[in-house]
Amino acid sequence: MKRTEIKSLLNEATIGAEVNVRGWVRTKRASKNVAFIALNDGSTIHNIQIVVDNALADAKLLPKVSSGAAISVIGEVVASQGSNQQIEITAKNLEVLGEANPDEYPLQPKKHSLEFLREIAHLRFRSTTFGAITRIRHSMIFAVHQYFTQHGFYNIHTPIITGSDAEGAGEMFQVSTLDLNNLPKKEDGSIDYSFDFFGKETNLTVSGQLEVETAMLGMSKVYTFGPTFRAENSNTSRHLAEFWMIEPEVAFNDLIDNMDLAEDFLKYLIQYALDNNMDDLLFLSNRLKEEEKGKPENLRSMELIEKLKFVLENEFARVTYTEAIQILKDSKPNKKKKFNYIIEEWGADLQSEHERYLVEKHFQKPVILIDYPASIKAFYMKQSEDGKTVRAMDVLFPQIGEIIGGSQREENYDKLKNKIDQLGIPEEDMWWYLDTRKFGSVVHSGFGLGFERLMLFVTGMGNIRDVIPFPRTPQNAEF
Ligand code: ATP
Ligand code: MN
C-alpha cells in the first residue's frame, strides 16, 4: 500500500479512509486495552496519533514500538476523541521497520537541552525543534532562489577552491595535497607550491563576490549562494567556520539601489516564512516564551511572530557611519563605560554590542549603516569624494547585529589599482579582477547575506550552531 505523508493526511484526510503511514515513534502511552502512539515523519511538525487495540494480533509487537523506532501502520482514519487532534488512526496492521533499543536511544520523550542535541547531531532531526528549523531552512533556501528568479537574476556557481587570498587576510583554510610530513622546499626554505595539486597555493573561499562580479559584467543581475569558509577563531554564537552566503551583484546599481534590494529581499524572505511556515514558527515562538519565562520582563525579547511582522512593517533606518559614531559616543553605555569597547573616535570599527545598541535601543528597528571609513572596509569598495569613506553598507538586525555586509564597488580602474598596490595585494592574484575594470566597466553593487544569520533571525534561535545541520566551529568537526 502506498504511504500517505502525515502532512497531507492532516490536511486532506477523509474519515473512514484506509491509509498507510510510516515514520518514527515520538511517544507511546499504554492503557489497559489500547496503546496510543504519536508518530512523526518529518513532513510536518504535527504527529499523527495511532491507536492500537491490545486485542489486535500485531499488538504483541508493542514492546518494540518505543521512542525512535520506525514503524509502518495501516489503519482507518477516524475522528479523534482527544482534544489535541482532529483525527487519528485506528491501527489494523502494525509493522516495526526498525527498532530503537530504549536502553541506548538517547532521545527520550522529554525536553532535551540544545547543547545535548548538538552532541547527537545525527539524531536531532527527530526532535521537534530541529525538525521545525530544518523545514524553515529549506523554505528559506527555496525563497532565495524564487526571489532572484522572479527578479531576473541568474545563479552563478562560484568556485569553492580559490587561488587568491585577497579577501581572506589570513583567515582562510588551506587546500593542499602535499605531504605535511615531507614538504617540498625551495632554496630559501619556503614551501614549493609548484608541487601542490594546483601548482600554486589554494584555499577554501571566504566569498564568491570577486568571481560573481565577472559574471555580472555580461549577465547584469547575478547571485551566488554557496558555502564559505573562515578560519577565524571566533567562538561566538553568531560565527561558524563553514557557513552559507547569498551574494547578489547587480550592474548599474548604486548604493541606494543596493540598499533597496537588500531591504526588499530580506522582507520577502521573512514574509515567505510567515506565509509558509506558520506551524513551525508558532512552535518556536512558544519554545522561546518558555525559555524566557524566568527572565525579568524588560529583558525578554519580542514575541517571534510579532518581531517578524514588525520588521516587515517598518522601513529600515538608513544612517551614515559618522552619524552612528556620534550617537554611540553620546550613548549611556559609552559614557558609563558599559560597552566592552568604548567608542572614542571616528574610525573605530563597530562591535556587535554597538550594532545592537543602535538597532535595539536607539532606532528600535533594523538599521542600514553606510559610508564607513575606508580603513576598516575591503579594498574593492567604491571610494567616496571625501577621500576618507567608502560606499559600504551593513544591514544590522535586532539580536543579530550584522546580517548583511555590502557596498557599491569601485569601478574605476586607476582607483582600484592604486588601492591594491597600497595594500600590497599581489597583482598575479588580481589581474583578472582588474581586467573587469578595463573592459566595459560599469557602476555596480552587491552584498553578502549570511544565510545562518538570517536563520537565527527567522527562527529566533540564540545560537548559530542550532540553525545549520552540522556546525563547523573551532575544535569541532564531529559528524
Ligand atoms: P562579522 O563582523 O559579523 O564577523 P564580517 O563583517 O566578517 O561579519 P562579511 O565579510 O561582511 O562579514 O560577510 C557577509 C555576511 O556573512 C555577514 O554580514 C554575515 O551575515 C555573514 N558572516 C560573516 N562571517 C560569518 C561567520 N563566521 N559565520 C556565519 N556568518 C557569517
Ligand atoms: Mn561585514
mmCIF file of all heavy atoms in Angstrom, residues 320-344:
data_model
loop_
_atom_site.group_PDB
_atom_site.id
_atom_site.type_symbol
_atom_site.label_atom_id
_atom_site.label_comp_id
_atom_site.label_asym_id
_atom_site.label_seq_id
_atom_site.Cartn_x
_atom_site.Cartn_y
_atom_site.Cartn_z
ATOM 1 N N THR A 320 24.386 57.192 8.323
ATOM 2 C CA THR A 320 25.812 57.109 7.983
ATOM 3 C C THR A 320 26.617 56.670 9.202
ATOM 4 O O THR A 320 26.201 56.860 10.349
ATOM 5 C CB THR A 320 26.380 58.462 7.498
ATOM 6 O OG1 THR A 320 26.349 59.382 8.603
ATOM 7 C CG2 THR A 320 25.583 59.024 6.331
ATOM 8 N N TYR A 321 27.754 56.096 8.916
ATOM 9 C CA TYR A 321 28.690 55.694 9.970
ATOM 10 C C TYR A 321 28.995 56.880 10.873
ATOM 11 O O TYR A 321 29.015 56.749 12.105
ATOM 12 C CB TYR A 321 29.971 55.142 9.330
ATOM 13 C CG TYR A 321 31.112 54.971 10.306
ATOM 14 C CD1 TYR A 321 31.287 53.775 10.995
ATOM 15 C CD2 TYR A 321 32.010 56.007 10.535
ATOM 16 C CE1 TYR A 321 32.328 53.617 11.895
ATOM 17 C CE2 TYR A 321 33.059 55.859 11.435
ATOM 18 C CZ TYR A 321 33.209 54.669 12.116
ATOM 19 O OH TYR A 321 34.236 54.529 13.009
ATOM 20 N N THR A 322 29.214 58.041 10.266
ATOM 21 C CA THR A 322 29.574 59.236 11.037
ATOM 22 C C THR A 322 28.462 59.607 12.024
ATOM 23 O O THR A 322 28.731 59.914 13.191
ATOM 24 C CB THR A 322 29.862 60.406 10.066
ATOM 25 O OG1 THR A 322 30.875 59.979 9.152
ATOM 26 C CG2 THR A 322 30.328 61.644 10.804
ATOM 27 N N GLU A 323 27.207 59.537 11.555
ATOM 28 C CA GLU A 323 26.082 59.791 12.466
ATOM 29 C C GLU A 323 26.032 58.738 13.576
ATOM 30 O O GLU A 323 25.788 59.052 14.751
ATOM 31 C CB GLU A 323 24.748 59.744 11.689
ATOM 32 C CG GLU A 323 24.537 60.936 10.758
ATOM 33 C CD GLU A 323 23.406 60.718 9.749
ATOM 34 O OE1 GLU A 323 23.119 59.555 9.378
ATOM 35 O OE2 GLU A 323 22.822 61.720 9.319
ATOM 36 N N ALA A 324 26.281 57.501 13.197
ATOM 37 C CA ALA A 324 26.213 56.411 14.178
ATOM 38 C C ALA A 324 27.268 56.585 15.260
ATOM 39 O O ALA A 324 27.008 56.355 16.447
ATOM 40 C CB ALA A 324 26.382 55.065 13.481
ATOM 41 N N ILE A 325 28.461 56.993 14.863
ATOM 42 C CA ILE A 325 29.533 57.190 15.847
ATOM 43 C C ILE A 325 29.122 58.267 16.853
ATOM 44 O O ILE A 325 29.334 58.123 18.059
ATOM 45 C CB ILE A 325 30.847 57.586 15.130
ATOM 46 C CG1 ILE A 325 31.464 56.351 14.471
ATOM 47 C CG2 ILE A 325 31.833 58.249 16.084
ATOM 48 C CD1 ILE A 325 32.019 55.325 15.438
ATOM 49 N N GLN A 326 28.480 59.329 16.346
ATOM 50 C CA GLN A 326 28.034 60.388 17.251
ATOM 51 C C GLN A 326 26.990 59.869 18.232
ATOM 52 O O GLN A 326 27.060 60.143 19.436
ATOM 53 C CB GLN A 326 27.473 61.572 16.431
ATOM 54 C CG GLN A 326 27.454 62.880 17.187
ATOM 55 C CD GLN A 326 28.808 63.238 17.808
ATOM 56 O OE1 GLN A 326 29.828 63.222 17.127
ATOM 57 N NE2 GLN A 326 28.815 63.532 19.110
ATOM 58 N N ILE A 327 26.039 59.089 17.707
ATOM 59 C CA ILE A 327 25.001 58.513 18.573
ATOM 60 C C ILE A 327 25.640 57.630 19.646
ATOM 61 O O ILE A 327 25.300 57.688 20.824
ATOM 62 C CB ILE A 327 24.001 57.681 17.731
ATOM 63 C CG1 ILE A 327 23.190 58.604 16.811
ATOM 64 C CG2 ILE A 327 23.075 56.861 18.631
ATOM 65 C CD1 ILE A 327 22.427 57.875 15.716
ATOM 66 N N LEU A 328 26.607 56.837 19.226
ATOM 67 C CA LEU A 328 27.246 55.913 20.166
ATOM 68 C C LEU A 328 28.074 56.668 21.209
ATOM 69 O O LEU A 328 28.058 56.325 22.396
ATOM 70 C CB LEU A 328 28.125 54.915 19.409
ATOM 71 C CG LEU A 328 27.342 53.865 18.605
ATOM 72 C CD1 LEU A 328 28.260 53.114 17.648
ATOM 73 C CD2 LEU A 328 26.628 52.879 19.535
ATOM 74 N N LYS A 329 28.775 57.706 20.757
ATOM 75 C CA LYS A 329 29.583 58.488 21.690
ATOM 76 C C LYS A 329 28.710 59.114 22.775
ATOM 77 O O LYS A 329 29.094 59.190 23.933
ATOM 78 C CB LYS A 329 30.302 59.615 20.940
ATOM 79 C CG LYS A 329 31.715 59.260 20.499
ATOM 80 C CD LYS A 329 32.190 60.358 19.594
ATOM 81 C CE LYS A 329 33.562 60.858 19.803
ATOM 82 N NZ LYS A 329 33.883 61.891 18.774
ATOM 83 N N ASP A 330 27.522 59.570 22.348
ATOM 84 C CA ASP A 330 26.597 60.214 23.283
ATOM 85 C C ASP A 330 25.780 59.220 24.103
ATOM 86 O O ASP A 330 24.990 59.627 24.946
ATOM 87 C CB ASP A 330 25.608 61.110 22.505
ATOM 88 C CG ASP A 330 26.328 62.276 21.838
ATOM 89 O OD1 ASP A 330 27.465 62.591 22.259
ATOM 90 O OD2 ASP A 330 25.762 62.860 20.888
ATOM 91 N N SER A 331 25.937 57.936 23.829
ATOM 92 C CA SER A 331 25.045 56.961 24.461
ATOM 93 C C SER A 331 25.451 56.687 25.913
ATOM 94 O O SER A 331 26.614 56.826 26.278
ATOM 95 C CB SER A 331 25.063 55.654 23.674
ATOM 96 O OG SER A 331 26.293 54.988 23.869
ATOM 97 N N LYS A 332 24.465 56.277 26.689
ATOM 98 C CA LYS A 332 24.708 55.958 28.106
ATOM 99 C C LYS A 332 25.773 54.879 28.287
ATOM 100 O O LYS A 332 26.707 55.075 29.054
ATOM 101 C CB LYS A 332 23.388 55.486 28.749
ATOM 102 C CG LYS A 332 22.783 56.499 29.682
ATOM 103 C CD LYS A 332 21.782 55.800 30.578
ATOM 104 C CE LYS A 332 20.756 56.819 31.088
ATOM 105 N NZ LYS A 332 19.496 56.160 31.435
ATOM 106 N N PRO A 333 25.615 53.727 27.620
ATOM 107 C CA PRO A 333 26.620 52.674 27.858
ATOM 108 C C PRO A 333 28.038 53.093 27.490
ATOM 109 O O PRO A 333 28.997 52.568 28.044
ATOM 110 C CB PRO A 333 26.150 51.510 26.970
ATOM 111 C CG PRO A 333 25.096 52.057 26.086
ATOM 112 C CD PRO A 333 24.545 53.276 26.732
ATOM 113 N N ASN A 334 28.167 54.037 26.565
ATOM 114 C CA ASN A 334 29.512 54.500 26.238
ATOM 115 C C ASN A 334 30.036 55.415 27.334
ATOM 116 O O ASN A 334 31.159 55.279 27.801
ATOM 117 C CB ASN A 334 29.507 55.224 24.888
ATOM 118 C CG ASN A 334 30.873 55.205 24.212
ATOM 119 O OD1 ASN A 334 31.395 54.120 23.916
ATOM 120 N ND2 ASN A 334 31.458 56.366 23.998
ATOM 121 N N LYS A 335 29.173 56.341 27.773
ATOM 122 C CA LYS A 335 29.591 57.284 28.809
ATOM 123 C C LYS A 335 29.870 56.577 30.134
ATOM 124 O O LYS A 335 30.787 56.925 30.850
ATOM 125 C CB LYS A 335 28.510 58.351 29.008
ATOM 126 C CG LYS A 335 28.461 59.328 27.829
ATOM 127 C CD LYS A 335 27.460 60.422 28.084
ATOM 128 C CE LYS A 335 27.600 61.537 27.059
ATOM 129 N NZ LYS A 335 26.363 62.324 26.974
ATOM 130 N N LYS A 336 29.043 55.566 30.426
ATOM 131 C CA LYS A 336 29.223 54.851 31.693
ATOM 132 C C LYS A 336 30.187 53.685 31.559
ATOM 133 O O LYS A 336 30.282 52.839 32.447
ATOM 134 C CB LYS A 336 27.862 54.358 32.199
ATOM 135 C CG LYS A 336 26.912 55.486 32.538
ATOM 136 C CD LYS A 336 25.753 54.962 33.372
ATOM 137 C CE LYS A 336 25.016 56.129 34.010
ATOM 138 N NZ LYS A 336 23.733 55.717 34.597
ATOM 139 N N LYS A 337 30.841 53.628 30.405
ATOM 140 C CA LYS A 337 31.823 52.569 30.137
ATOM 141 C C LYS A 337 31.239 51.163 30.307
ATOM 142 O O LYS A 337 31.865 50.263 30.871
ATOM 143 C CB LYS A 337 33.062 52.760 31.015
ATOM 144 C CG LYS A 337 33.689 54.153 30.905
ATOM 145 C CD LYS A 337 35.206 54.069 30.851
ATOM 146 C CE LYS A 337 35.901 55.426 30.812
ATOM 147 N NZ LYS A 337 35.527 56.305 29.722
ATOM 148 N N LYS A 338 30.021 51.004 29.823
ATOM 149 C CA LYS A 338 29.371 49.691 29.900
ATOM 150 C C LYS A 338 29.718 48.828 28.685
ATOM 151 O O LYS A 338 29.649 47.616 28.739
ATOM 152 C CB LYS A 338 27.840 49.856 29.993
ATOM 153 C CG LYS A 338 27.373 50.342 31.362
ATOM 154 C CD LYS A 338 27.156 49.166 32.315
ATOM 155 C CE LYS A 338 27.183 49.549 33.788
ATOM 156 N NZ LYS A 338 26.154 50.495 34.176
ATOM 157 N N PHE A 339 30.046 49.474 27.572
ATOM 158 C CA PHE A 339 30.489 48.699 26.401
ATOM 159 C C PHE A 339 31.843 48.047 26.697
ATOM 160 O O PHE A 339 32.656 48.612 27.437
ATOM 161 C CB PHE A 339 30.670 49.621 25.177
ATOM 162 C CG PHE A 339 29.390 50.056 24.515
ATOM 163 C CD1 PHE A 339 29.254 51.373 24.050
ATOM 164 C CD2 PHE A 339 28.339 49.162 24.307
ATOM 165 C CE1 PHE A 339 28.087 51.778 23.412
ATOM 166 C CE2 PHE A 339 27.169 49.575 23.669
ATOM 167 C CZ PHE A 339 27.045 50.886 23.230
ATOM 168 N N ASN A 340 32.083 46.899 26.126
ATOM 169 C CA ASN A 340 33.409 46.295 26.252
ATOM 170 C C ASN A 340 34.444 47.111 25.487
ATOM 171 O O ASN A 340 35.597 47.206 25.894
ATOM 172 C CB ASN A 340 33.404 44.859 25.736
ATOM 173 C CG ASN A 340 32.643 43.942 26.667
ATOM 174 O OD1 ASN A 340 32.764 44.063 27.889
ATOM 175 N ND2 ASN A 340 31.849 43.046 26.109
ATOM 176 N N TYR A 341 33.999 47.658 24.350
ATOM 177 C CA TYR A 341 34.872 48.531 23.579
ATOM 178 C C TYR A 341 34.266 49.934 23.583
ATOM 179 O O TYR A 341 33.175 50.134 23.048
ATOM 180 C CB TYR A 341 35.002 48.045 22.131
ATOM 181 C CG TYR A 341 35.684 46.711 22.004
ATOM 182 C CD1 TYR A 341 34.965 45.525 22.141
ATOM 183 C CD2 TYR A 341 37.061 46.634 21.758
ATOM 184 C CE1 TYR A 341 35.594 44.288 22.045
ATOM 185 C CE2 TYR A 341 37.694 45.409 21.656
ATOM 186 C CZ TYR A 341 36.958 44.237 21.802
ATOM 187 O OH TYR A 341 37.574 43.022 21.699
ATOM 188 N N ILE A 342 34.952 50.874 24.221
ATOM 189 C CA ILE A 342 34.441 52.242 24.300
ATOM 190 C C ILE A 342 34.734 52.951 22.978
ATOM 191 O O ILE A 342 35.841 52.871 22.443
ATOM 192 C CB ILE A 342 35.116 53.004 25.469
ATOM 193 C CG1 ILE A 342 34.923 52.232 26.784
ATOM 194 C CG2 ILE A 342 34.571 54.420 25.580
ATOM 195 C CD1 ILE A 342 33.484 51.951 27.159
ATOM 196 N N ILE A 343 33.692 53.611 22.450
ATOM 197 C CA ILE A 343 33.870 54.361 21.203
ATOM 198 C C ILE A 343 34.484 55.718 21.537
ATOM 199 O O ILE A 343 33.896 56.518 22.256
ATOM 200 C CB ILE A 343 32.514 54.567 20.492
ATOM 201 C CG1 ILE A 343 31.878 53.228 20.109
ATOM 202 C CG2 ILE A 343 32.672 55.465 19.270
ATOM 203 C CD1 ILE A 343 32.535 52.497 18.971
ATOM 204 N N GLU A 344 35.695 55.932 21.051
ATOM 205 C CA GLU A 344 36.338 57.200 21.359
ATOM 206 C C GLU A 344 36.399 58.138 20.168
ATOM 207 O O GLU A 344 36.179 59.319 20.290
ATOM 208 C CB GLU A 344 37.724 56.968 21.949
ATOM 209 C CG GLU A 344 37.610 56.796 23.455
ATOM 210 C CD GLU A 344 38.777 56.081 24.089
ATOM 211 O OE1 GLU A 344 39.757 55.783 23.386
ATOM 212 O OE2 GLU A 344 38.680 55.817 25.296
#
